[in-house]
Amino acid sequence: MRFTVAFLGALGLLGGVTTAINTIELKGRHFIDSVTKKEFFIKGVDYQPGGAANVEKGGDPLTDADKCARDVFLFQQLGINTIRVYSVDPTQDHNECMTILAAAGIYLVLDVNTPLEHQHLNNEEPWTTYTSMYSEHIFSVMHVFSGYDNTLAFLAGNEVIFDPTSAKASPNYVKAVVRDMKAYITNQIHRRIPVGYSNADDLRFRTALAAYLECGDTGYIDFWGVNSYQWCGKNTFTGSGYDKLVEDYKDYSLPIFFTEYGCNEVRPRIWQEVDALYSEKMTGVFSGGLVYEFTQEPNDYGLVNITKDEDAVILKEFDSLGDAFEKTPKEPTIPSGSSNPTRPVDCPAASKLTGITANFTLPTTQGAEYIKSGVDKTKFVKGKFVTGPKFTTTHKITDSEGKEITEKTVKEVATYTQSDIPDGGIGINIGGGTGTGSDSASGSGSSSGDSTKKNGAGSAKSMTFGWSLGLITIGFAALL
Ligand SMILES: *[C@@H]1O[C@H](CO)[C@@H](O)[C@H](O)[C@H]1NC(C)=O
Ligand SMILES: *[C@@H]1O[C@H](CO)[C@@H](O)[C@H](O)[C@H]1NC(C)=O
C-alpha cells in the first residue's frame, strides 16, 4: 500500500462512513460489538515503541499525544482496528491518546505487566513476586483503562510459561492472576472487560496450558492468545502448519486470536497468512490477530522506523501489510457448521495435562485489600475521553520511497462518547475469588461460573461460590 493519490482519495470517501466505538463483549468463542452484536475480528499490530528498554526509562507509549497522533495516522493508513500494548504506567495520563485511538475506530488490548520490579511474575519462582505490590500494579492498570470504551481486553501474562522450568513453576500463578483480575472486575470495575493470556506457541505446552487455563470455575481465562511465527515467506495453510493449529483448537470453548504473528525469517515478508487468517479456513476458531510489531527495534520485526528525532519512516513491509489487510473482507464470515462448545468446561485430571504442572490449588490472593476497597483513586485516575484531541502530529512522516507525507491528519471515523461509569464492580461471579482456589480437578465447572445476569438470581448463584471475604456483596450494593 503506497501513498498514491488514488489511495488517499479512497480514504476521503471512507471518511463519510462513521462507526461507533462500542464496547466489545464475549459471546461463545467470538467477540462481538455490544451494540451491533456483530462478530468482531481483530486486525491489528503490537505497539511498544522502544520496547522494554523504554519502559525501564519510564516510557509509556500512550502518554504523548503528538506521537500518538503520528502513529494513529499510520494505523489508519495500515487499515487496522486494534493495537496491543505490553506495558503502561498507570500513574500517567492516557486520556488524549486513548481518545485519538477511539476517534480512529481503534481498540486496545492491554497487558497488565511491565518488566519493572513488582510489576510482573518471575516465571521460575513466581511466589517471590506474587505480592501485594504486584496486585496493586495490575489492578491499577485495570482501573485506569476501564474508563475507556475502546479498552477491548486485558492480558494477564505474556509467555510466562515458555520452558520446562516455568511450565512446572508458573501455571497456577498465572491462573491465580487471572482469578485476581476477575475478582477485581466483579468488585471494582463496571464492565466485564475480557481477561486473557498470551501464549508462547510451544508444542510442548500448547494444548495442556490452553486446557488448564480454560477450565474450572476459578481463574478461567476469557480468551486465549497465541503468539505464532510459523508461517514464513511463501507458504500455504497446510505447509505452514496453520491447519494443525486450527485443528488443535477446533473444540476450544473460548475466543482465540494471534496476540503476535509475522515470521521475519524470510524477507521481505509477504503476509500470505493475513489472507488465511480472515478466511473461513480460520474464522470459526480464530478471531483475527496482531502483527508483531509496529516499530522497528533491534529484533527487526518493524513496519515503521522511528528516528532519533521521533520522526516516522515507513518501511516497505508496512506497505505490503497494508495491501494484505486491504484485501481481507470488511466483515469476515464464519463457516456454517462451526462448533460452538459449551461452557463452563470441567478440568481434566492434572495427569492428563502433560508438559505442565497443572496444580489446581491456587496460591492465596495477595490483593484482597484492593479487591475489597479498590486501588488509590487519586494516585491512579480512571481514564476519560477528552474533547478536541490532537489529530495532527508535528513529527515528520516519510513514505517508503523517502518522500515526506504532508497530509497527516487522523481521520475521525468513529463516534465516541464518554460512558457514564458507575462505581463498583459488575457484581457477577466470573471466576474470580480470593481464597485458595478449588483443588477439585473434576466437576467443579458445573456451578454458576459464567452467569451474565445482573439480577437477584445471578447474585444468589454467585454467593454459593464461597467468597471468603464477603466481597461480592460490595459489588451488589453498588448495583442497587
Ligand atoms: C532506522 O533508523 C535508524 C536510526 O535513525 C537507522 O540507523 C536505520 O538504518 C533505519 N533502518 C531502516 C531499515 O530504515
Ligand atoms: C500447589 O500450589 C499450592 C499453592 O501455590 C502449593 O501450596 C502446593 O504445594 C502446590 N502443590 C503441588 C503438588 O505442587
Side-chain angles (χ1 to χ4, degrees), residues 103-218:
I106 295 171
Y107 290 87
L108 172 69
V109 172
L110 182 61
D111 289 67
V112 295
N113 300 288
T114 86
L116 306 177
E117 203 184 356
H118 308 302
Q119 301 188 354
H120 64 276
L121 289 182
N122 174 311
N123 44 33
E124 288 185 5
E125 299 179 325
W127 46 89
T128 61
T129 45
Y130 183 67
T131 60
S132 166
M133 277 173 91
Y134 172 65
S135 301
E136 182 187 31
H137 172 74
I138 62 178
F139 295 152
S140 63
V141 170
M142 295 170 73
H143 169 75
V144 168
F145 282 83
S146 69
Y148 310 115
D149 280 356
N150 55 334
T151 298
L152 195 168
F154 293 123
L155 284 164
N158 180 55
E159 304 192 356
V160 180
I161 289 121
F162 71 100
D163 66 357
T165 308
S166 52
K168 204 163 173 238
S170 287
N172 68 332
Y173 281 84
V174 170
K175 209 167 166 75
V177 171
V178 172
R179 172 203 62 190
D180 296 349
M181 290 171 71
K182 292 187 148 198
Y184 198 80
I185 291 173
T186 294
N187 290 281
Q188 301 295 343
I189 289 184
H190 70 293
R191 171 163 75 88
R192 183 178 181 181
I193 301 174
V195 176
Y197 175 76
S198 175
N199 187 45
D201 195 43
D202 187 318
L203 282 172
R204 291 173 294 177
F205 324 115
R206 180 204 283 175
T207 43
L209 191 62
Y212 175 73
L213 291 178
E214 170 194 33
C215 75
D217 59 9
T218 310

Side-chain angles (χ1 to χ4, degrees), residues 296 300 302 304-309 311 313-316:
Q296 177 71 334
D300 199 23
V304 170
N305 203 6
I306 304 296
T307 69
K308 271 207 297 296
D309 302 328
D311 293 332
V313 178
I314 291 174
L315 304 178
K316 289 234 162 24

Side-chain angles (χ1 to χ4, degrees), residues 51-73:
N54 189 42
V55 176
E56 273 150 20
K57 286 185 293 196
D60 176 323
L62 299 176
T63 53
D64 180 329
D66 199 15
K67 290 183 201 163
C68 287
R70 175 196 69 199
D71 293 341
V72 174
F73 168 78

